Structure formats: C-alpha cells, structure tokens
Amino acid sequence: MSWAPLRTDKLDLVRSSLTALLPKQEAAAERFYARLFELDPSVRQLFTHDMAEQGKKFMDTLAHMVHGLYLLERVRPAMERLGRDHVAYGAKPEHYPIVRDALMWALAQTLGPTFTPDVQRAWGDAYDLIAAVMLEAAEGSS
C-alpha cells in the first residue's frame, strides 16, 4: 500500500514540539505509561522490563519515527518491523487507540500551553500514519 506523507507544515509542528519535549522526556514517558495503565490496566502485563528503561526506549523510538516521517519510505521498514514486533509482545489492534489517547494526554500534560490544537492535530495525524503502517505489517505477520 502507498502511504501519503504528512504535509511539511504538520511535520514541522510535530518536530518542533518534539524538540521541546525531549528535555522533559523522562516525565513524558512516566505520564504516558501511567495514563496508558489507567486507561487499560490489562496492558500492564505486557510490560515486564524496567519501566524507566522502557520509557527511554519509547521516547527514542518516538523521536526516530517523527524524524523519519520527513522521508517516509526510509523509515517505513522500521515502522513495519515495530508493528510485527508488537504482535510478539502481545499488542492487539484495539490497543492502538488507547496508546493514542495516552500519548496525546502525556504530550498535553508535558508541553502545557504549547500543545495547541494545531500541534495536537499534527501529532494525531503523525500517530495515525505510524499506527496504520504498524498495523498493516502486524496483520501481515499473523
């Protein structure tokens, strides 16, 4: 399937807010996982490793994916691999909207008033694109 890249203005919003987020990435990751487990306590069992390390991996992966969106075809194989890996971890398609909600909440909490409606829409579009690529790959691996 062919994926339409996000408009450059949306990518720029996501990238600039990511730059503001990175100095606060530990707090952002803690907020993300706290909210994720609050929204769906059953997903807690999927995380068996140290949560501080998991948070760092999450933020590193998020940053890699965001930067890669400028060259979607280059980062797409990594997104697909991530989707297949998540199947092995026990992730299901119904988890993706919950992850989206938790991410948007954590971003809003961490970025405060700079997380404007335009920034939120841009992040939502970026997440939706990444999730679609991951889900398509996950479906192909089952």
Side-chain angles (χ1 to χ4, degrees), residues 13 45 55-56 66 71 88 111 117 138:
L13 283 174
Q45 68 187 348
K56 182 172 177 4
V66 164
L71 299 167
L111 294 172

Side-chain angles (χ1 to χ4, degrees), residues 40-116:
D40 186 350
S42 72
V43 299
R44 178 67 182 95
Q45 68 187 348
L46 302 178
F47 297 91
T48 58
H49 294 79
D50 175 76
M51 288 309 295
E53 178 146 340
Q54 177 64 37
K56 182 172 177 4
K57 281 171 74 172
F58 174 73
M59 293 304 296
D60 289 348
T61 300
L62 185 65
H64 176 73
M65 295 297 161
V66 164
H67 291 295
L69 286 173
Y70 282 92
L71 299 167
L72 184 56
E73 288 308 314
R74 280 199 193 157
V75 77
R76 184 174 164 184
M79 290 178 193
E80 291 171 341
R81 188 171 41 257
L82 194 60
R84 288 187 298 272
D85 289 348
H86 276 72
V87 170
Y89 302 146
K92 296 179 172 43
E94 58 267 23
H95 293 143
Y96 284 76
I98 298 164
V99 169
R100 186 189 200 279
D101 290 347
L103 177 62
M104 293 302 142
W105 184 86
L107 290 170
Q109 295 301 306
T110 307
L111 294 172
T114 64
F115 195 64
T116 65

Side-chain angles (χ1 to χ4, degrees), residues 116-138:
T116 65
D118 286 341
V119 173
Q120 182 177 359
R121 278 189 292 278
W123 269 100
D125 290 349
Y127 177 85
D128 292 345
L129 175 59
I130 294 166
V133 173
M134 289 175 63
L135 281 164
E136 183 177 279

